[in-house]
Amino acid sequence: MASGEEDGAVEEKETNNKKKRTKSAIATAWLTFYNIAMTAGWLVLALAMARYYLQKGTHKGVYRSIARTLKFFQTFAVLEVGHCAIGIVRTSVIVTGVQVCSRIFMVWFITNSIRQVQNQESVILFLVVWTVTEITRYSFYTFKLLNHLPYFIKWARYNLFIVMYPLGVIGELMTIYAALPYVRRSGMYSLRLPNKYNVSFDYYYFLIIVMLSYIPLFPQLYFHMLRQRRRVLHGEVIVEKDE
Ligand SMILES: CCCCCCCCCCCCC[C@@H](O)CC(=O)SCCNC(=O)CCNC(=O)[C@H](O)C(C)(C)COP(=O)(O)OP(=O)(O)OC[C@H]1O[C@@H](n2cnc3c(N)ncnc32)[C@H](O)[C@@H]1OP(=O)(O)O
């Protein structure tokens, strides 16, 4: 190769490396901001729930008192699907998508829409479980990005889920189950024939399908986390299938 061509190739490589470094610095700065904001959001939720319970002495009304903050921060988590899609975090879009969609569905289309379930104990169960999980998870990412990760946070991130995930699922499924009679009675979000679109949709049966979909989907999330646990805590090399 002539020396001029070699120089050109070296220069191009350097420019590309510089671009990559700038991109990764921007991504790291964004992720640090995002994770700090999410840790703070879930901490605010934890404190608000604890304060409400201590002041009123009942779980009734807890959901109403934190509904706006919960909707905001859980909806904000949609960005996580974007993070995977653009490749700034090494996670499957599908795994993250299923996790985020199921949470957003629970918040907006069950708990927020069906007032009658808001005071169920199962709502408190999944709220407490989500809160503990997310404070741990986002603080784990934050400390990791800052290169100051305390071992107990890493331990909590990759151990608590073993119990928290099933508990969260139980809370979510019990809440959807409790919603069924109200959905059937009210006919909410349903479309009956005849109508001008000539389509029918029954939210009641849709909810039953959602509940059944936990059977194939939840084990995939759980086993994904068990694989992550083995990789991070025990240093196993895991060859992930293309998810
Ligand atoms: C329309 C109707 C839809 C209905 C759908 C019905 C579906 C039903 C099934 C779903 C059941 C879900 C139930 C659920 O809601 C219940 C609960 O959540 S209960 C609470 C307990 N839950 C948990 O503990 C799990 C929490 N969830 C997660 O952890 C994530 O969502 C998950 C995607 C599962 C995590 O997987 P991930 O692959 O991201 O694991 P890691 O944390 O180890 O991360 C991998 C690497 O990526 C880096 N990373 C990821 N995110 C970030 C970030 N925000 N900032 C910086 N870095 C990030 C991470 O550091 C790892 O890096 P490295 O590879 O270097 O180690």
Side-chain angles (χ1 to χ4, degrees):
M1 201 193 288
S3 126
E5 275 176 33
E6 262 173 30
D7 286 350
V10 170
E11 223 168 77
E12 198 182 315
K13 212 171 162 190
E14 263 174 20
T15 317
N16 282 343
N17 282 345
K18 217 172 170 183
K19 268 189 202 159
K20 267 189 205 155
R21 277 199 300 272
T22 315
K23 239 188 190 172
S24 103
I26 294 171
T28 306
W30 161 251
L31 286 174
T32 309
F33 166 78
Y34 173 80
N35 290 314
I36 291 174
M38 293 302 266
T39 311
W42 285 95
L43 273 171
V44 167
L45 278 165
L47 292 176
M49 283 195 281
R51 201 178 60 181
Y52 184 96
Y53 187 76
L54 291 174
Q55 277 176 358
K56 310 271 175 185
T58 172
H59 71 280
K60 293 192 174 129
V62 167
Y63 175 78
R64 269 278 132 226
S65 73
I66 52 115
R68 275 167 71 130
T69 320
L70 174 71
K71 281 185 279 181
F72 179 80
F73 284 100
Q74 189 52 65
T75 308
F76 207 48
V78 162
L79 293 179
E80 269 160 64
V81 183
H83 295 160
C84 309
I86 60 173
I88 59 172
V89 298
R90 289 194 297 148
T91 306
S92 145
V93 179
I94 296 175
V95 175
T96 308
V98 170
Q99 172 71 63
V100 171
C101 284
S102 72
R103 290 277 193 90
I104 286 181
F105 179 75
M106 274 314 294
V107 170
W108 285 100
F109 295 97
I110 302 288
T111 327
N112 187 61
S113 310
I114 308 165
R115 211 169 22 89
Q116 290 86 342
V117 299
Q118 288 171 359
N119 287 331
Q120 296 280 335
E121 280 91 351
S122 56
V123 171
I124 304 301
L125 174 62
F126 77 70
L127 282 181
V128 170
V129 165
W130 287 8
T131 307
V132 172
T133 302
E134 297 305 42
I135 292 171
T136 313
R137 187 164 76 95
Y138 290 117
S139 53
F140 166 81
Y141 296 143
T142 307
F143 285 118
K144 196 171 171 210
L145 285 165
L146 299 173
N147 291 320
H148 279 90
L149 179 61
Y151 185 75
F152 80 92
I153 293 192
K154 182 170 163 178
W155 182 92
R157 163 71 183 134
Y158 290 106
N159 279 297
L160 288 186
F161 81 89
I162 295 173
V163 178
M164 292 297 186
Y165 237 164
L167 283 180
V169 166
I170 291 170
E172 292 172 26
L173 288 178
M174 282 172 63
T175 305
I176 304 178
Y177 183 74
L180 288 174
Y182 303 106
V183 171
R184 178 163 242 180
R185 220 176 300 141
S186 65
M188 66 186 291
Y189 298 149
S190 300
L191 209 54
R192 307 245 184 266
L193 285 171
N195 60 58
K196 64 176 175 182
Y197 307 107
N198 213 19
V199 277
S200 80
F201 175 75
D202 196 320
Y203 192 50
Y204 176 82
Y205 289 108
F206 177 75
L207 288 187
I208 293 175
I209 293 169
V210 167
M211 289 174 82
L212 291 175
S213 75
Y214 275 64
I215 300 169
L217 294 176
F218 172 61
Q220 310 221 25
L221 295 180
Y222 197 70
F223 284 113
H224 169 80
M225 284 307 295
L226 286 175
R227 280 196 297 274
Q228 292 294 79
R229 178 178 187 273
R230 290 209 306 273
R231 182 176 68 86
V232 177
L233 294 185
H234 305 295
E236 282 182 33
V237 180
I238 312 277
V239 183
E240 287 267 357
K241 278 189 285 174
D242 198 13
E243 282 156 321

